Amino acid sequence: DIGPLHADQWFIDMGLQPLTKSIKNFQLFKLWLPIQSDPKLSNLLVIPNSHKQKNKYNYKIIKTDSGEKPSIANNIDKDQLVMIDNPPGSPLIFNMSLIHGGSLNKSKKCRVSMEFEFYASK
């Protein structure tokens, strides 16, 4: 998946995750686990601390073969992006408002990852 940079919260805001809801005293997080990837050539890209600047980043809705998706509307300099350096089997837990996306795979192996969302008490 080398889709556009996005925040998973935007899917919720668009109504594309209708079963996701706010639960008092709990916060929703994402766990992303690379199963097969090269942390230097094919991993997750993030804009560090973007979840703390929610009003700075906006999204637009794009149409894809698999339906509508949010995509960052801001112009992003490549120096703002950081490729996460976690080897396969090392999970990354992040806020639903963190701007992220899959990097272009420059390795010789297919990138395989797993992700899920969970609630944690505040």
Side-chain angles (χ1 to χ4, degrees):
D1 182 8
I2 56 169
L5 289 173
H6 66 279
D8 290 325
Q9 182 63 46
W10 296 343
F11 285 93
I12 297 168
D13 295 346
M14 290 173 59
L16 297 175
Q17 288 183 261
L19 300 178
T20 303
K21 58 185 176 184
S22 294
I23 300 175
K24 186 177 180 180
N25 298 323
F26 285 85
Q27 183 172 349
L28 186 61
F29 288 95
K30 173 76 70 163
L31 184 141
W32 178 77
L33 178 68
I35 296 170
Q36 177 175 284
S37 68
D38 184 318
K40 304 287 186 204
L41 299 174
S42 170
N43 227 0
L44 193 69
L45 294 171
V46 301
I47 299 176
N49 297 308
S50 54
H51 64 292
K52 296 178 182 177
Q53 305 168 7
K54 295 178 193 176
N55 294 331
K56 179 178 179 180
Y57 299 100
N58 299 304
Y59 69 91
K60 59 186 174 186
I61 298 171
I62 60 172
K63 295 182 188 284
T64 70
D65 290 341
S66 58
E68 293 182 334
K69 292 184 178 184
S71 174
I72 193 163
N74 305 65
N75 290 325
I76 302 298
D77 293 328
K78 289 185 181 187
D79 61 343
Q80 289 180 271
L81 293 171
V82 173
M83 187 178 302
I84 298 299
D85 187 6
N86 62 328
S90 297
L92 176 68
I93 296 172
F94 57 91
N95 184 292
M96 296 294 281
S97 294
L98 182 75
I99 308 292
H100 66 283
S103 67
L104 183 64
N105 188 351
K106 296 180 182 178
S107 74
K108 295 184 181 201
K109 293 182 179 180
C110 179
R111 178 177 56 227
V112 178
S113 63
M114 177 175 69
E115 62 181 53
F116 63 90
E117 297 166 0
F118 65 95
Y119 290 94
S121 62
K122 291 183 180 180

